[in-house]
Amino acid sequence: MSLFSSLTRRCVQSRRLVLMVGLLLPLCCLSSLSRAEDATPSAAVKLAVDKIIGILRKPDFNFERDRSSLSVEIRKAFDDVAMAQSVLSTNWKAINADQQSEFKELLSQTIESNYIGRLRAYTDEKVEVRHEEVKDSLATVDTVIVAKNGDVPVNYKLRKRKDGWFIYDVVVENVSMVSTYRDSYRPIVSKDGIDGLLKQMKAKIAEVKG
Amino acid sequence: MFKTNPHRQLLTALLLAAGLCCSLAVRAAQDATNAKDDDFFESDDTAAEISIADPLESVNRASFAFNNQLYRHLLKPVARGLRVLPVPVRTSLAHFFSNLNDPISAISALLAGEPRNAASELGRFALNSTVGIFGLLDPASELGLVEDDEDLGQTMAKYGVGHGFYLVLPFMGSSSLRDMVGKTATNSLNPMFQNLEFGEVAGITLAATEVGLSLDKDTYEAFYDTALDPYIFFRSAWVQNREGKIRK
């Protein structure tokens, strides 16, 4: 079987896949939305993206020092309950309130430790908002990262709450953060139960923090 | 191995037919078992599950582990070495390798009933091969002919062929029955590589891979190292990426 086409394409694809997944990182770390309750979804995303890029490009930006403030900003822009519920899917209702709140906290930490660690690599890209679609209390905002090696489409899914629009998923080149975590956790819950999943998440967070 | 061969077309047709039958059967089974989201996600049709059958999971996991070792101990160290070259040089090289695939994308787009994309792909190839010095620069993108990642796997998908099942191939990584059939057919159509020996093809492929990796920012490692089960994580990401390209 010919290796070339498949391997080249595979290379280009996997590099782009890897790149795009990597580009989730800075964009997930969207900073707080100023006057969030008044903003349209795309204005909310634009504001947040501009703000986070602003922080990263500060002349005196210090990764270690600014890491905790970035973490605070992520939690402001994201709807952690919606993310947790969406990731666990049908399992969400099957677990008790304590387990729900523990899962929500561990998921937030997982996403943070995953993404903050990657932040510094992607500060030069320009982000453009291309399209917005609102359906009742849900919205999708399509953006494009204009990068040297080709544009990377990044779509945000938002949910409207009383206090504004909040991001519950980021989709980069068709790969949804929520779907990927959902697929990853489902077999673990089936095999080891929710307590097994929580235990493994805790262990992994500790391991990554090293 | 890449010389034109009258049996090749028959083989391709048989593979396509076999892939079609298997895929349709598996897909029908999957549609019946897809889980539903609860609460506010019930109204969100885009949150629908995308899944793939994985009957060869244990074999796939072995290939995945092999590819991981290959990546970490061979491909990545070489790519790091390549970083002595300036970024614009490596970006140009990446365009060159990408340009080699444009005629194939054109054929796939045509078969999928998208003549405009096909014209764009051929236009890209012509433009980049002439104006752009064999694809080293990318004038076509500047003129609005955006690269369109068509392949025969996607073409088959547009005719309703499901993935069949997930495959991780040593050296080549994630694929599915349908996409592997699509790639075999794609390769048989590629005029440039019918005339190359296996070693030449492998060499060019390796070079393209290394250039691509040298431009990447260690993202594979970041996701591999933080995932509870990297195999499932990358399988999910791959399936979603493919489905998205087909929906496009």
Side-chain angles (χ1 to χ4, degrees):
Chain A
M1 172 172 168
S2 156
L3 276 169
F4 177 81
S5 214
S6 42
L7 264 186
T8 305
R9 190 165 288 282
R10 162 88 192 127
C11 144
V12 170
Q13 273 178 358
S14 70
R15 181 177 62 77
R16 290 194 79 195
L17 184 68
V18 157
L19 174 74
M20 70 180 141
V21 176
L23 287 167
L24 277 173
L25 315 183
L27 292 159
C28 282
C29 303
L30 296 174
S31 53
S32 65
L33 314 173
S34 53
R35 295 188 302 116
E37 63 275 16
D38 301 334
T40 64
S42 56
V45 168
K46 182 86 174 100
L47 270 172
V49 169
D50 287 348
K51 192 163 178 196
I52 194 77
I53 289 178
I55 295 174
L56 291 166
R57 287 185 183 160
K58 276 195 308 190
D60 63 337
F61 177 77
N62 178 297
F63 189 72
E64 292 311 316
R65 192 194 60 215
D66 292 331
R67 187 183 172 117
S68 61
S69 58
L70 284 169
S71 161
V72 171
E73 300 297 353
I74 293 170
R75 290 175 184 235
K76 278 188 197 164
F78 278 76
D79 186 332
D80 58 352
V81 177
M83 274 196 302
Q85 190 179 317
S86 181
V87 166
L88 273 194
S89 189
T90 46
N91 286 316
W92 179 257
K93 280 183 178 163
I95 64 177
N96 66 41
D98 287 347
Q99 289 168 323
Q100 285 180 348
S101 92
E102 190 178 2
F103 177 76
K104 191 187 71 182
E105 175 56 27
L106 289 171
L107 182 70
S108 295
Q109 282 185 37
T110 300
I111 289 169
E112 262 176 57
S113 74
N114 202 339
Y115 294 169
I116 292 184
R118 303 290 304 157
L119 269 177
R120 277 180 296 187
Y122 301 95
T123 55
D124 298 333
E125 279 80 7
K126 203 173 81 190
V127 177
E128 292 171 7
V129 174
R130 293 280 165 88
H131 184 69
E132 175 190 288
E133 207 171 296
V134 182
K135 208 167 111 188
D136 303 327
S137 63
L138 297 177
T140 308
V141 175
D142 297 350
T143 72
V144 166
I145 300 169
V146 184
K148 289 182 212 85
N149 306 318
D151 293 353
V152 182
V154 179
N155 304 339
Y156 295 89
K157 290 188 186 177
L158 298 93
R159 174 166 81 139
K160 192 178 175 61
R161 299 194 316 219
K162 278 185 197 135
D163 47 345
W165 288 95
F166 291 84
I167 298 162
Y168 70 87
D169 196 9
V170 186
V171 184
V172 185
E173 289 216 21
N174 313 314
V175 180
S176 142
M177 180 181 74
V178 160
S179 299
T180 310
Y181 279 111
R182 180 166 47 210
D183 286 349
S184 301
Y185 292 162
R186 190 190 298 110
I188 297 173
V189 175
S190 311
K191 189 164 157 275
D192 305 324
I194 187 71
D195 290 326
L197 175 67
L198 296 174
K199 210 172 122 189
Q200 290 180 44
M201 288 172 80
K202 264 184 271 188
K204 190 49 111 175
I205 289 165
E207 181 195 317
V208 171
K209 277 185 179 156
Chain B
M1 180 169 183
F2 299 95
K3 301 272 189 275
T4 324
N5 169 346
H7 299 301
R8 180 186 287 278
Q9 286 170 340
L10 180 64
L11 181 70
T12 303
L14 284 173
L15 278 170
L16 282 165
L20 185 77
C21 296
C22 298
S23 299
L24 289 174
V26 177
R27 187 153 121 159
Q30 274 180 291
D31 285 344
T33 58
N34 280 347
K36 253 199 136 187
D37 295 313
D38 64 352
D39 284 354
F40 81 94
F41 294 100
E42 271 176 349
S43 62
D44 185 3
D45 54 355
T46 53
E49 302 280 326
I50 296 170
S51 57
I52 187 167
D54 193 0
L56 302 177
E57 183 171 336
S58 55
V59 181
N60 285 341
R61 279 185 184 273
S63 301
F64 183 75
F66 170 80
N67 288 344
N68 182 49
Q69 294 301 319
L70 181 77
Y71 173 88
R72 286 174 189 263
H73 298 297
L74 194 68
L75 297 180
K76 195 69 190 191
V78 173
R80 278 198 203 98
L82 269 183
R83 287 180 185 164
V84 296
L85 295 172
V87 170
V89 172
R90 284 182 278 133
T91 307
S92 292
L93 285 171
H95 283 149
F96 168 73
F97 290 120
S98 160
N99 194 30
L100 293 178
N101 272 321
D102 284 347
I104 297 308
S105 293
I107 293 165
S108 303
L110 203 58
L111 291 176
E114 293 161 6
R116 213 170 57 140
N117 279 352
S120 169
E121 289 298 333
L122 283 176
R124 274 184 62 84
F125 182 66
L127 200 62
N128 277 340
S129 297
T130 50
V131 185
I133 323 165
F134 298 106
L136 287 174
L137 306 169
D138 195 4
S141 288
E142 283 161 28
L143 290 174
L145 298 173
V146 179
E147 186 172 2
D148 186 33
D149 237 2
E150 287 285 340
D151 59 57
L152 286 172
Q154 293 175 53
T155 308
M156 288 163 74
K158 278 169 189 149
Y159 285 107
V161 183
H163 273 296
F165 49 82
Y166 185 62
L167 282 171
V168 181
L169 306 170
F171 299 100
M172 290 184 255
S174 296
S175 190
S176 67
L177 180 62
R178 178 194 70 208
D179 283 359
M180 200 180 74
V181 170
K183 275 170 185 170
T184 308
T186 303
N187 291 341
S188 75
L189 286 170
N190 191 331
M192 216 172 305
F193 306 109
Q194 283 168 358
N195 300 313
L196 291 179
E197 295 301 326
F198 178 79
E200 294 168 325
V201 171
I204 294 169
T205 304
L206 189 62
T209 307
E210 292 295 355
V211 168
L213 282 179
S214 78
L215 289 164
D216 164 56
K217 295 169 180 174
D218 301 339
T219 327
Y220 170 83
E221 288 88 335
F223 281 86
Y224 189 99
D225 295 344
T226 55
L228 289 186
D229 185 343
Y231 173 80
I232 303 282
F233 194 95
F234 283 95
R235 183 180 72 188
S236 172
W238 180 83
V239 173
Q240 292 177 58
N241 180 253
R242 288 297 292 172
E243 292 298 324
K245 281 182 178 158
I246 291 153
R247 274 200 310 269
K248 207 173 51 183

